Every structure is written in structure tokens, then in C-alpha cells.
Amino acid sequence: MKTSIKAAAIALALSFPALMLHGEQKDDSTLLLSGFEEPIAGQWRSNHETIPAFTAESDPERVKEGTTSGRWDATARSNPWLFLKETPRDWSGYDGLSFWLYAENANHQLINLNVTSGEGYYLHQIRVDWTGWKQIIVALGEFKEPRKTNGWSEVSAFMIALKGWGQEEPSEDTILFFDDLRLIKL
Amino acid sequence: MTPALALRVSASLLFSSFLLMPASPLHAAAKPPPPGEGASSPFNHPDDGGASAYSGPPIVQKESMASAEQRERFPIGQRSRLYVLGGGVRGIGMLAKYDRKRPERVLVARRTSPGEHEPLTPIALASVFDPEGNCVAVENFTDQPSGVEVREIPIPSGRPGIWRVSFSGGRRGDVVEIRLPGTSVWGVRGEMSLTFDGDTPRPAYLWLPPGGGEVMVGLESGSRDGVRLETEVGNALAEPTDDPAGRAGRLVAEAPGSVCRLVTPDGFEGAVTVEGAPGLFCPSAEAARQLQGGMIRSGERWVAGPLQARAREWMLANVPRLESEPKFEFPKQIPADLEHPEVHVLAFQKYGPLNTLGAQIRVQNRNLDPQSPYFCTNFEPKEGEPPRWVHLRPERLAGPFQAGDFAAAAGFESPVNPAFRSAEIVRRATLAAFAHVSNMQGDDLLRENDLFKGRYPVTHCFFIYSNLALAYEEIHGQLEPEARAIWREAVLAIGDKLADHQAYESNQWAHVMEGHLYVYLATGEARFRRFFERTMTAYLDNTYGPASKFGQHPAGYFLEEFGPDGNYDKLNSFVVSAVYEAYRAIPDADDVLVKKLHQAIERNLRFTSFFWLPQPDGEVLSPTAINCRTTGPIGAPGFPGQFLPKAHFPLAAARFALTPDPGTGIGPAGTFSFLANNEAWIRRTLADGLRKGADGYSGGSGTWLPVLRRAYSQPSEADPAAIPVRESDKEWELPGLRAFNRGGIYGVVFYDVTGATQTLKGITGGGPTALWSPATGMFIASMQAAAPAESLRITDPAALTFACVYGKDEDGGFFHSGKERAEAQAQEGGGFVVTSRLEKRLASLAWKYEPGGDGLGLAVRFKSLKPLREARLNLPVFNRIPGVKIELEKPNRLVFRTAGGGIAIQWPENAPGELSDSALPTVRRLIIPIPYDGSDLRLSITPLSTPSTTAYR
């Protein structure tokens, strides 16, 4: 049984946490992996030589940080295997991965975040069930380890896959915009 | 919880936990196998194999270790690799029949390789048993100086008949060879798993006892290909099938009263375990028929060996000698010249044997049917569940304390004890003991657990062993010769088989050690003293490390399920204090071990003293959130581990002095008479016990009386020390614990099991475990709402009966703190901060304690990188003190008032709190919104008045 504290008072009190995570993280506690700025092909590649990983998007509504975001579009037959070209080797000093993701459709498309280490890899899956922007923050401890890795200090690759691990093919209506991919720490 | 209920809970945990435990000793059968074990591992956790699990590299031994000349003298040989089952159960044995004369020697060889990280050397023994079940020779291989040892064991005496050689203990993977003089009637068995070797009989003939049910041959390892069970003449009985218990496979057949044969291909080198039959593999059907798996027909039942048969025959002969309603005349009043009433009172009340004697007799009288599986026990079948034999054993375990209860009564010399040296009670004690002995397995295991369902052959043998040993030590001088001989052989055989058995938790291991010491004291067999010294040293040194279930943690508590536990800590401390008194009385006791025991008691008392929190009515309560196994409070009475050493240890004397005299009546001494701590109270309790007589209680026990007597008879050398709640202006630090007593508030924060690597079932992280003031008693109490394992899967905020932060993430997912590993740092000028991280939530948490001045300042800092929907601070307000008033005077001020004073908790106005019920009636939850951007939520906790410091003494 609760005492008579008014719900409105609680709601007011709960509103005071400062939701300023994005702005606050740009200091020594983060490491930018990709700002999805031009030339975006310098940061990302797909597994097909002639198909770019992302195209740069400059619509202000589709940009969260900087001047462009990375557009991935199933209707334009974008390649579903997206590799970060320069991945820092040692992630062990960080606690999580953060990025912004804009979804045109809440179509339950699976996004696989795949981190290779040694002979194994870490995996985290996100299902797109929203539209518009959403900040994705994943603790490194939340990643599963389907195949035994050498740990977070020996990372050799980072991949975003729109296919595989339960997603046979990308959903046809998937249009996504990625921005501001960072390693973060507490 | 009312005081009476608290005591009932404690007592119930005390004596019935062995019945409440599920079949899996770890309560977690779904754990993945440890590395290197593969899918067929029998262990839930590697330590469940005991010292034997830490073996060295694989050993190859394809040939006999005996010389050609020895092979000629000992032509019957069997070689097998040790396979370890849960509980460290391992060994092999051979039975052989000699019709004309006894064997003069046998040969046993062992090849072993110590593991690189072996915590302690596994004990390894070869024992020879004569046809009466007497152990006539023991060869100790434990510290064999070379990798391969071949020893001939002379047999000093014995008649022709069926002889047994058993190898018990050793390392996983050891190769053991047993060789015997020539005979055609022999067999080999796993004790309990047998790894097949080139010499193993193929096919191997197996005798199935008449009256048995299904028999299972479990394939612990190896391929199923070509393995089958056949009748004696080769008709199909069973093919391997999948095994729900996780073995490589199993064969199940039902053919009681026959001989069957296990067919294995030549290359088969798997390990097999047999359930439902003796499991003796013989080279011929005729040998199997003659040996009958070592079983003997006794009183229309089959028992597993000659000692078991002697025990049963003694029982059959002595039950008719029982009096159905023996009378015991207690003095009408306390004799005027009675000295040391504080010792005599120990035999009375609910956990003293004399006031429960009538109930013990009546329940044993209900079990006098020789065909019942519970013959002579104190077992009380449930309504509608008739007694059943399952796999040749009683379906359920009979109580382990019954023999000890009777023995304690018969052994307690006192002018107020009419049962002292009572032949009737000694007979009943012996019958209770022999109920276990007669049901013992052929390899001396006190079996339980159905191997059709699991892979742990034993769970509670530690209780039975220690109690049989204690009871034997107490009354062996009163036993008739044959009863004494049987009981002696039984505790020796059980103790040898369990020599380094550590079961699955610290207290269980400690009970085995306690048993070893009592066996040594009663029999003088020196190896049992060595067993005790070796394993007790390992236990006190925390040989397995703080990330284990075994031994004393550096902070002082005993590890139970990888952390402290309020209930089981008292069983550990009971054993340590008991053996301290018994061991140091041995004239040539090892001074180093005596000192270790002394330090262990001191460290345990120091740790537990931080949780001795007297309430305004004097009752001592404790928070239970630290617990990793049960909900028993560490400071409340139960097993008297904190009381036993009161003569020598100032903190134990302080704990003894802490229980308030009820003034009138006997109060809690009606349950535990050892609580009475002044002459008047003791005499009231004793007089009450005399008035109640043998029928004082319908349930209870008193098996620990010999231990209490020894401890309470010690001349007092220690004055009570000041306990933390009574020492003002101090702060304390132990590994994983901080405490303070400043500004009128005492606080204790158990924030981590330092060194642990497992996910803990107890609550950690740095929130206040308890806050207490002299006027109010405990006003913040972090408690376990249910069995601690449940705290790993809390989804309802009502179950948050401990200090924590909780809330919902952006997607509505529930989270809470309290399961984090944490660190503490002292603050300049006093106080400390405990920091932790909620790894998967990308959040950090800091609890800053600033005691002093006029109370306690508490700042809670929570930072989440993930967006949250809401975050709250949760403080468990203790709601058990009679007459307590807990109210939110304002949205940001809670007041906790008792008759003696009060406490105010205040926080910023912009975070209106609420008070909510919890899953426990004794805890209300103060819930305060907390920012999650890393800024502080500051609370001030202040006594509202300062009552007399003597008010609650």
C-alpha cells in the first residue's frame, strides 16, 4: 500500500534527470569510431568492391551530428555487410558502444553489431521497432560471444550486418541513417 | 517476524535443511559443464569433485604395474582408471572368495600424477576387509613418493570366505591395480564408477538381487557402440539409450534374481556406474552367483555386506528387548547441592535431549517393523506415502541426528538426568545408528539420491557420519561388545570412504572433519587424526581461495555457495569451536593447528559481531541480505557456534551476555537452554525442564549436548568485549565490509565478497546493509525477501527488500542494483565511499557515508549512460519492532519512532518520496526519485533523541 504522495509530484520529480548524454560524452571518455561525414567511403566499405557501404545524407532531419549521416537503403539495393575500415584494436578501456539511428520504418529489421577478436566474435542484435531517431547504447557486457574471442583488447574488425543471424535478407522497406558511432566509458 | 517465529525458522533450518534440499546438491542442475569435462561431466561445479578433480595430465598405463613374479603370486588382477562422480565419489574394489584359507597378502598399485594447481593432496587408501566386514589392513597411498607405487599388503588375521579390497580416494585419472591370490570366484566393481580396461571381464557377469527392481548401467564415458545387456545365456535385455542425467548413455533392465551380463567390445574403455544392483562384474556366471554382489540375506532382507548384516542381526535381536514406554523419573526440584547448573541446564528444553526423550522414543516405536525401510529410525512417512524401498535403499533419508539424540541423553552424567547410562536408551541409540549402518552400500557409502535421475550418489552423508561418530564417542564405553565392534567398524569404514569428502559447501566439509576427530578420539586410529589435521588446515587456510564454496573467507565468514550465509555460518562456527575444544585437549596436539583454530574463531566472531544488533526489547537481530544460501539471520541463535567459545573469547562472551533475561518465565531458553546467561535464569530454565520431564516437547533434538557440555564446562577466562554497536566514535574495515558507529548511528555495509569470481546470490554493491541506533534498534535492514538465489531474477520492485537503486530503462525494462562487485575507499576526515558499476546497464553507483556530528550523511550518486525512463533509490525500512511508527511527515522526510526515540531521514524537496510495502512484512520500502546523471542525492539521517545508553542492556 502506498502512502498518499501525489502522482503528479512523482512525475515532476522524475523529470529532473538530465538527458544530456549525447552532448556530455564528447570528452576523454569517448572515442569516435565514425562520424559518418564525407568522405564516408574512407570510413566504411561493404563486402563488394563496387557497392559502397553507405551514402552520405545531408537532410538536416536525417543528420544527428555534423553535416552528414550514413544512409543505408534496401530499396537502393545497399550491401548488407558493412565494415568499419579502421577499427581500434583495444576496446578494453571502454564500457560501451553508442550511435544514433534513424529509421524510416519500424519494420523489425535486425541489425547485427559484430566485433571480431581473435578467431571468434562478439554479437549484439537490435531490432528496429521505432521510427525517427533513437540513440543506441550497448554495454560491451551485453554483447554475446557466440564464438570464443581473445577479448576486447584484441579487436580486429567491426561490422554492421543487415543480414544473417536470423535475418535471411534485409527487409525490402528498410531505410536507415546512422550517425555518431562512438566507444564510450563511464 | 515474531520472536517465536524467528526461532522456529532458525530451528527448522537447523534440523530439517537436509530434508528440504532438492536432489541436486547445488540447486542448479542446468549449469554448463566445467571446461575440459565435456558434455558428460558429472559435476555441476568442478569443486564438487573435491580435491580429486584437480588431476594432472592424462596417464597411460596399459600394462600391469606388478612384476612378473608378483603377477605369478597374485594371478587375479584388475586395473582401472579412477572416474570421479559428484561429491568426489571414486574408487574401485574387488571381492574374492577363498574357501580353504584366507589370503595372506594382496597387492595394490597406483599410478598418479599431481595436478599443477591442486589445492590439497587427495587422500588415497587401500583397505582390506575380512568376511565379517572388519577392516584388517589399511595402506595409505596419499603421499606416495613416486608416480608409481606397488605395495603388498599383509593380512594379519581372518577366516576363509569372501574378502574385499577397496581402493578409495585418489586423483581423477589415477590408474589403480588390485591383485589377489588365485581363485575362480572373484569380481570387480566401481566404487562407484568402474573404468573398463583390457583386463576387465568381457562379458562381465552381474548378479541382480531377488526383490530388486530396475537396474541401470550408466555409461559415464565412452562409446555406446557394441555395449549391451544380455541374460546369462545371451538373450537381449537392454541396449543403450539416451540418459536424462547427462551420461553418454544408459542400459536399463529388470530381471531380479538372475545373473545378466554386460557385453562390451574389446576396445571399450568407458566408465560405468550401476544403480539398483551391487554392480560387481564377475568373469563367470557362477562367480557372480557365488558372490551375490557381496550381498547377504539377513532377516528376510538383502543387505550390502557382512558388516551391514551384523548390524541388522543385532537390531533384530535387540528390538524385542526394548521397553515400549520406558519411564524416567526426574527430580522434583533442583538438588540443593547441584554445582554448575549452567552445564546441567544444557540437557533440557527443546534442543536438549532430555525433554524430547519421550517423543524420540515414540517415533522410534512406530518404526519397529523389520521389513520397513525405516526400521528403528525416527522417520515419519507422509500421509498417503507408504514407506518404500527404491533401488535397494529406503526411498527417503532417515534423520541423521537420532542416534546422537539418544546418545547425548545416555552419556550426560548429571544428578538431574535419569537417562544417564540407561541401557534402554543406549540400545535405542545403537538401533538408530545401525539403521544407517545396515543400509550402507557395499563400498561403505551412505547412499541416497537416485542415479537414474542424477549423478551425485550422496548428499547428506556428512551429517550422518559426524553424528554417528559423535554418538559413538559419547557412549562407546556403555555398548555391549558386539554393538561396540559393529559401530566402531562402521565409523572407520564410513570415515575412510569419506576421508577427503568435502561435499558441496563449507559446513558439510567441516562436519566430515568433525567426524574424523571424534573417530580418532573414540578409536585411537591415528589416520583419522591425520585426516582431520590435513583437511582442517586446508579449510582454515581457505585453500580453494575466496572464489570457492569451501573454507573461511579472509573476512572471517565461512563460504557457503560462494559467500556468507547467516544460517550456515553458525554450523561452520559450531564445528570449528567444537573441534577447537576437543583437539587442543589432545596432549600432543599440533600447536600450529590449535593456533589456526583459535584465529579462525576470533576472525569469525569479529565478522559476525558487526551483525549483532540488539533491538529495543533486547532480541538480537541481523540483516539477511548478505546471505548466499538461506534467509537465516547471522546474529540470531541457532547452532551455537558463536556461544561455544565464550570461556576463552571475549567476543563470544559478549554474544553470550547479549541475550536479555526475560525476567519471568524462561523466554528463548525454552528453545535453546544454552542462552540462559545468569544464575536465576539458568535455575528457572532447569526447574522448568525438570517439571516438563521426558515429554516436554513433541519435536526437537539434543545431539549437540556433548559439545555444549565440553564448552560450557570450561572455566571462564574471558570478559565480554565491547561489540561494535556499543563502541562509539569508531570505524571498522574488513575485506568487503565497512562499519561505523558515530553520531548516534551504527551502520554496517557488506559490499562485496572480495576475491569472488562467481555471480553472487547475496546482496552487495554498497547500500547500507543495516543502520541501527540505540533507541530504535535496526531501522534500515537489507533483507533477502526469499531464498537468496531468487535475488538473481527479481522483476518486481516489491522484492527489493534491500538498499539499492532501481528503475526502468527507455524500453520499460526493469533493473536494480545490489548484485554488483564493489570497492570501498576511506574519505579524508572520516567516512567512506563504496563504488560499483552496473556493467550491462552502463551505469555507475556510489554510496558515500559521512558518519559523525549529529547523525549520518548519505550521498547516493547514480550515473547511467543509457537513457532511462525512471530511477529510484530504495531503502528498506525495518518494520518489525513492536509499536514502531514509520511515516512520511513530509514528501522529503521520513520519521521512524519507537518508544525510546526515533530517527529522521531527510532529502531534497524536489524528490518527493513514497513509502511502500514489500514482499516482506518486516520491511517497508522508502522510495525516492534519484537523478541518473551522476549528481548526488543527499540524505541526512539523524537521531531524534538520545536515550539512556543503558536502556536496552
Side-chain angles (χ1 to χ4, degrees), chain A residues 60-138:
Chain A
E61 292 290 314
R62 306 289 187 273
V63 178
K64 192 69 187 176
E65 193 69 29
T67 56
T68 58
S69 63
R71 177 188 178 105
W72 190 92
D73 188 347
T75 63
R77 296 186 176 277
S78 293
N79 187 288
W81 309 99
L82 315 165
F83 295 89
L84 186 65
K85 283 186 169 177
E86 292 183 13
T87 306
R89 182 174 176 77
D90 188 357
W91 292 25
S92 63
Y94 295 89
D95 300 303
L97 190 69
S98 166
F99 61 98
W100 286 89
L101 186 58
Y102 185 103
E104 293 287 359
N105 300 301
N107 62 353
H108 296 275
Q109 164 72 42
L110 259 185
I111 299 175
N112 299 294
L113 306 177
N114 184 308
V115 184
T116 305
S117 166
E119 297 295 311
Y121 65 93
Y122 296 103
L123 179 70
H124 185 79
Q125 295 184 300
I126 297 158
R127 194 172 286 280
V128 178
D129 56 2
W130 72 94
T131 57
W133 282 111
K134 182 175 183 179
Q135 187 181 19
I136 308 295
I137 299 179
V138 186

Side-chain angles (χ1 to χ4, degrees), chain B residues 659-746:
Chain B
T659 310
D661 180 349
T664 56
I666 60 173
T671 303
F672 299 125
S673 55
F674 62 78
L675 293 175
N677 54 14
N678 67 55
E679 174 100 16
W681 189 10
I682 289 166
R683 286 186 171 275
R684 289 201 308 276
T685 306
L686 180 52
D688 181 81
L690 292 175
R691 182 181 54 74
K692 286 172 175 164
D695 294 318
Y697 295 89
S698 58
S701 180
T703 190
W704 57 30
L705 178 60
V707 175
L708 277 168
R709 178 190 60 209
R710 197 191 317 251
Y712 276 51
S713 300
Q714 303 291 319
S716 179
E717 300 166 354
D719 291 328
I723 63 173
V725 293
R726 301 238 166 98
E727 274 194 287
S728 297
D729 294 322
K730 287 195 78 166
E731 292 187 26
W732 299 268
E733 180 183 355
L734 290 175
L737 178 145
R738 295 266 178 163
F740 54 86
N741 194 349
R742 291 190 193 282
I745 292 176
Y746 169 81

